[in-house]
Amino acid sequence: MSDDRKIIFGGDYFPEQWPEEIWEEDLHLMKQANVNMVSLGIFAWALLQPDEDTFTFGWLDKVMDLLADNGIDVCLGTSTAAQPNWLTQKYDDILFMRETGERPACGSRQTYCINSPSYRKAVRRLAKEMALHYKGHRALKLWHINNEYANKNSMCFCKNCEKNFQKWLKKKYKTLANLNECWGTVFWSEKYSNWKEINTPRASAGGRNATKLLDYKRFLSESFFTLYKEEYDVIRTITPDIPVTTNFEGDWSKFDHFLFRDNLDVASLNFYPNPSDLNSYKWAALRHSMMRSLLGKPFMVMEQAPSQVDWYPVNIAKHPGLMRLWSYQALAHGSDSVMFFQWRASKKGAEKYHSGMVPHYGENSRVFKEISALGNELKKVKDIADSKVNSEVAILLDNDSWWSVDSPYGRGTKSLDNEVFWSANGQPFPTVLVSYFGELEYYFNAFHDLNVPVDVIGIDYDLSKYKIVVAPLLHMIKPGLKEAVQDFVKKGGIFITTYFSGVIDEFVGVFLDGYLGPLKDVLGVKVEEYNPLPPGGKNRMLMTENAEGFRKDYGCSIWCDVAHPITAKTLAAFTDGYYSGAPSLTENKFGDGKAYYVATRPDRDFMRDFLSKILSEQNIKVSPLPEEVELVVRSRNGEDYNFYLNHGETEKHVKLPEGKYEDLLTGAVYENILHLAKYGVYILRTKERKS
Ligand code: GLA
Ligand code: ZN
């Protein structure tokens, strides 16, 4: 076992916000808290480059040296998330443009347009100067490009974006005739006769061309990646041995994170669950799993709040013990780091009410004491670094389906009030009650309730590693996907998809002759029509004689597809409405595997019974535990680290599998029953196996 394993512990550090006398104290407190890495220079552009031709690294050199002298590593930010005012003033293409044509004022961050040539040029230059300057510095261990891409500037409608969009379209469609055909511009007389007529898809008088909207989103999404790649290439060339990351916000609909996959050395997540929501740990489990799956290896938590944030409507503090619990939860799901925004709570600026590892009250505060206790405790769990969460289940995440179902341009409003719903900005959809990500989360949570780890992967990932692949609301089917799914099922895999899947092709054209489209063969069923249910509306799923191991019937809501089996068996049928008797669940044998189609949103008890049955058939371990107790296992070389986490506020009891277990944190040995204290964390490894 390697001795240099460690859990990275630290946070964003902004020494530039403080006089130098404080730096010594910072170092002293960092050591006290066992901080071993800080992120520097995240928003320091104006200080690093006071004007176009001057670079001033002196102050940063001092901090870097000081950190190195104290054995603290640096994750060095390239500072490009907030451009200096002089740059914005000098070039008129820097600021992004809203759909309404306004640009944001200077004075905040992420005001730049991702396609601004002046911004991109300045970014490359700064990255180059920084990389040349810090190449070989003993503190530099990781590059941190930009910060939270797309947080505020995910959409831009400026002239540069328009021009680049036209270029992008030319490359994709070659001829206008082809574009007109693929976009279906014959509808509402939209036909384009010159590339220059293709504007950015701003709000119009009514519903807009869905293919154009989607292509524009794809174009912006790729622009985020190419912007990142420009910095990445500069840095990589100069410091080829230093890994590179950028911290993701965790909201994957702003751009397609899978695009970054081959140019990212470690995935890193900013993770801000709401402490006032008791289900936040499920929310977090999904985000962690997404980040772990992106590269299929341990990721980093780059930021979380030591206590409260300042941007929920009400920002409650993380109560004692919660910060520790959620930090271990991140480790459980595959993070090798626990990092925070930010080291010292700001005295000034927009974020002064956001918590810091060192709060305004200083080192005698509750928060610093908890931080420092955690930093020191993490030494005991260093062995878990680099271990893996082995998932045999994967959920497919397809950004195109996401953007097509949950419009990035808004559906007008989330309100059910028709008058406000049909706004000019809206993208028509059968119901506001359906959400792509909501459906994905529903399936993820159903597995998570059984303590079954799930990877969340892109549609072009290797499916053969998994026994079960679930594709909730896989609305769009792109070329190649049908074959990938068929191949997976043929070889013995279990595939599950849901209502309103297989509806459109890559150009947003609807598949004729039955929804499920290219998935009809593998699922053995096709869909004639759909019926969204009214708010609160229910139907029932009556299990047929084909279904074993289920109750007699279950409730369902939100949506009912009206489907016709071709080769599939009907396992459940709707009981109500004009389509009573139509299948609500089907099973189709295909090669050595099976494909299931769920025509509705079943209630949770069905999900539990359905998934338990499939999991047990696939010999995947299910661990039903008391509510609010989570179990996640990380493993390496046959050794399991079983994380038992009590997210509840009362003591819980868990029956342990046979054997003796030792807790990495306390050395205590457990057998038979584990009593979990409120917010308790237990990392058990097998001490003795019963043979
Ligand atoms: C984001 C940013 C940080 C900070 C935090 C506050 O994650 O990356 O710079 O603003 O939010 O919660
Ligand atoms: Zn722009």
Side-chain angles (χ1 to χ4, degrees):
M1 207 168 274
S2 150
D3 262 349
D4 51 17
R5 283 212 174 92
K6 68 175 171 206
I7 299 299
I8 295 170
F9 185 70
D12 277 18
Y13 179 35
F14 300 96
E16 65 272 29
Q17 292 177 14
W18 298 92
E20 276 195 48
E21 308 88 78
I22 299 280
W23 298 0
E24 287 295 334
E25 187 189 310
D26 283 336
L27 263 307
H28 166 73
L29 294 180
M30 282 178 192
K31 294 194 83 167
Q32 199 172 311
N34 197 37
V35 164
N36 52 31
M37 178 177 267
V38 292
S39 298
L40 270 185
I42 308 288
F43 297 107
W45 194 343
L47 296 188
L48 296 173
Q49 191 183 7
D51 61 56
E52 190 138 40
D53 299 310
T54 317
F55 289 90
T56 43
F57 292 118
W59 65 274
L60 188 55
D61 293 348
K62 234 188 220 175
V63 185
M64 295 274 291
D65 292 348
L66 215 54
L67 288 162
D69 292 345
N70 284 277
I72 297 172
D73 294 338
V74 170
C75 160
L76 190 55
T78 57
S79 278
T80 46
Q83 78 280 8
N85 286 326
W86 61 258
L87 186 72
T88 314
Q89 299 298 333
K90 191 159 181 183
Y91 300 99
D92 60 10
D93 63 327
I94 300 267
L95 296 173
F96 75 83
M97 186 178 277
R98 302 202 167 94
E99 203 172 344
T100 52
E102 295 157 352
R103 293 184 190 267
C106 297
S108 188
R109 56 181 173 179
Q110 288 156 336
T111 55
Y112 60 86
C113 157
I114 47 178
N115 284 306
S116 152
S118 319
Y119 170 76
R120 285 193 173 210
K121 187 170 166 212
V123 158
R124 286 193 304 271
R125 179 151 180 227
L126 179 63
K128 183 172 173 199
E129 293 292 334
M130 285 191 86
L132 287 172
H133 191 84
Y134 289 108
K135 178 181 172 161
H137 194 288
R138 33 202 181 118
L140 176 61
K141 294 289 153 50
L142 179 64
W143 283 108
H144 176 311
I145 292 187
N146 203 290
N147 187 69
E148 252 188 9
Y149 279 118
N151 185 343
K152 298 290 175 224
N153 56 352
S154 63
M155 305 290 272
C156 181
F157 297 85
C158 79
K159 281 284 158 203
N160 275 317
C161 285
E162 187 166 287
K163 256 199 309 201
N164 285 356
F165 181 44
Q166 289 163 358
K167 259 198 243 157
W168 187 90
L169 291 171
K170 259 187 215 165
K171 197 167 156 206
K172 176 166 181 177
Y173 293 103
K174 310 282 187 302
T175 66
L176 268 179
N178 189 31
L179 176 135
N180 279 312
E181 173 67 28
C182 291
W183 281 17
T185 56
V186 66
F187 185 82
W188 283 353
S189 192
E190 199 195 345
K191 187 172 176 233
Y192 294 98
S193 42
N194 187 323
W195 292 99
K196 292 218 167 74
E197 286 170 10
I198 308 175
N199 57 356
T200 56
R202 299 199 202 169
S204 189
R208 288 165 283 171
N209 184 316
T211 322
K212 178 178 180 181
L213 289 174
L214 183 65
D215 266 347
Y216 196 60
K217 188 63 195 167
R218 287 164 166 160
F219 156 74
L220 289 175
S221 173
E222 281 178 28
S223 302
F224 277 104
F225 172 66
T226 56
L227 171 61
Y228 166 83
K229 183 79 168 33
E230 287 197 23
E231 277 200 57
Y232 179 86
D233 287 345
V234 170
I235 286 171
R236 250 298 134 96
T237 314
I238 301 171
T239 57
D241 300 332
I242 305 292
V244 181
T245 191
T246 180
N247 52 346
F248 293 133
E249 202 190 337
D251 175 352
W252 285 27
S253 70
K254 287 187 178 163
F255 56 88
D256 181 351
H257 291 53
F258 295 122
L259 295 176
F260 287 63
R261 186 176 164 197
D262 296 331
N263 294 275
L264 192 67
D265 299 306
V266 51
S268 61
L269 175 69
N270 295 349
F271 130 80
Y272 291 98
N274 190 346
S276 61
D277 178 357
L278 288 176
N279 274 323
S280 278
Y281 75 97
K282 296 188 183 175
W283 182 98
L286 171 55
R287 271 80 189 165
H288 293 318
S289 301
M290 288 161 80
M291 206 42 70
R292 177 190 71 229
S293 319
L294 179 60
L295 300 184
K297 64 179 193 185
F299 66 100
M300 286 178 76
V301 164
M302 187 59 89
E303 292 180 18
Q304 62 169 328
S307 185
Q308 66 269 86
V309 298
D310 59 355
W311 44 263
Y312 280 116
V314 176
N315 296 290
I316 75 164
K318 284 186 183 168
H319 290 196
L322 196 56
M323 179 275 291
R324 172 179 180 265
L325 171 65
W326 285 358
S327 300
Y328 279 110
Q329 190 201 9
L331 297 181
H333 284 280
S335 173
D336 273 359
S337 83
V338 174
M339 301 210 19
F340 297 87
F341 176 87
Q342 57 175 325
W343 167 248
R344 200 179 263 282
S346 296
K347 187 172 159 62
K348 296 191 180 160
E351 296 190 306
K352 63 183 183 303
Y353 297 129
H354 193 291
S355 58
M357 298 163 80
V358 184
H360 296 137
Y361 195 78
E363 65 178 299
N364 291 321
S365 55
R366 167 187 77 87
V367 169
F368 182 71
K369 285 180 195 157
E370 286 189 37
I371 288 280
S372 165
L374 175 64
N376 285 292
E377 190 181 50
L378 289 176
K379 288 184 221 162
K380 299 182 187 162
V381 302
K382 64 185 174 61
D383 284 353
I384 64 165
D386 209 29
S387 60
K388 290 254 163 59
V389 176
N390 295 316
S391 315
E392 295 176 293
V393 179
I395 289 185
L396 295 188
L397 187 157
D398 174 37
N399 276 84
D400 283 327
S401 291
W402 191 348
W403 292 327
S404 303
V405 174
D406 304 357
S407 166
Y409 304 84
R411 286 188 197 161
T413 165
K414 284 197 174 135
S415 158
L416 290 170
D417 175 347
N418 265 337
E419 267 178 54
V420 274
F421 171 57
W422 289 111
S423 93
N425 295 327
Q427 207 175 315
F429 196 78
T431 166
V432 291
L433 298 179
V434 161
S435 132
Y436 176 84
F437 200 71
E439 202 62 26
L440 187 146
E441 200 150 28
Y442 194 68
Y443 276 79
F444 180 88
N445 286 345
F447 284 104
H448 185 249
D449 285 346
L450 298 166
N451 292 293
V452 172
V454 175
D455 283 354
V456 181
I457 56 172
I459 52 170
D460 57 345
Y461 277 48
D462 176 15
L463 305 185
S464 68
K465 290 177 26 190
Y466 301 99
K467 290 183 175 168
I468 300 177
V469 170
V470 189
L473 251 169
L474 187 59
H475 196 56
M476 177 181 290
I477 308 295
K478 278 171 285 216
L481 186 53
K482 165 184 155 183
E483 291 74 15
V485 171
Q486 288 193 350
D487 195 52
F488 168 73
V489 180
K490 238 183 231 158
K491 292 185 177 140
I494 300 296
F495 178 72
I496 303 172
T497 192
T498 71
Y499 65 88
F500 223 33
S501 293
V503 176
I504 53 175
D505 64 23
E506 59 181 320
F507 300 112
V508 200
V510 176
F511 294 116
L512 305 181
D513 191 30
Y515 309 130
L516 294 178
L519 298 179
K520 277 185 298 200
D521 291 342
V522 70
L523 292 162
V525 56
K526 62 181 176 176
V527 176
E528 177 182 342
E529 59 169 314
Y530 50 82
N531 181 45
L533 297 178
K538 296 291 266 183
N539 204 318
R540 292 200 74 74
M541 304 169 69
L542 181 68
M543 305 312 293
T544 68
E545 69 285 354
N546 292 326
E548 275 167 39
F550 288 92
R551 254 179 24 206
K552 186 170 147 270
D553 67 348
Y554 300 86
C556 58
S557 59
I558 296 188
W559 186 285
C560 300
D561 270 351
V562 183
H564 303 287
I566 311 166
T567 52
K569 277 198 293 195
T570 298
L571 298 191
F574 290 117
T575 58
D576 298 342
Y578 66 91
Y579 44 89
S580 138
S584 45
L585 173 71
T586 62
E587 177 190 271
N588 195 42
K589 285 215 170 85
F590 190 85
D592 294 339
K594 282 187 226 167
Y596 292 88
Y597 156 68
V598 189
T600 181
R601 159 69 79 79
D603 289 352
R604 275 184 69 183
D605 47 356
F606 169 85
M607 296 295 283
R608 188 198 49 228
D609 293 353
F610 175 48
L611 298 184
S612 303
K613 178 178 145 72
I614 288 173
L615 288 160
S616 91
E617 280 171 12
Q618 292 300 307
N619 292 319
I620 298 175
K621 197 171 154 222
V622 173
S623 311
L625 294 174
E627 275 281 308
E628 298 174 320
V629 176
E630 191 182 13
L631 165 64
V632 195
V633 184
R634 285 185 72 162
S635 325
R636 186 183 38 245
N637 298 338
E639 169 126 82
D640 286 348
Y641 304 102
N642 301 283
F643 286 71
Y644 286 91
L645 309 165
N646 181 4
H647 295 277
E649 307 219 315
T650 54
E651 198 182 87
K652 301 277 161 63
H653 314 282
V654 161
K655 170 117 188 52
L656 293 172
E658 273 194 35
K660 274 191 183 170
Y661 300 89
E662 183 182 26
D663 186 355
L664 250 58
L665 293 171
T666 59
V669 176
Y670 297 100
E671 197 177 358
N672 206 2
I673 295 279
L674 175 65
H675 300 282
L676 297 100
K678 166 185 175 180
Y679 294 167
V681 175
Y682 307 83
I683 308 174
L684 306 188
R685 73 168 146 214
T686 306
K687 193 166 164 65
E688 233 174 69
R689 269 178 235 277
K690 289 228 169 110
S691 50

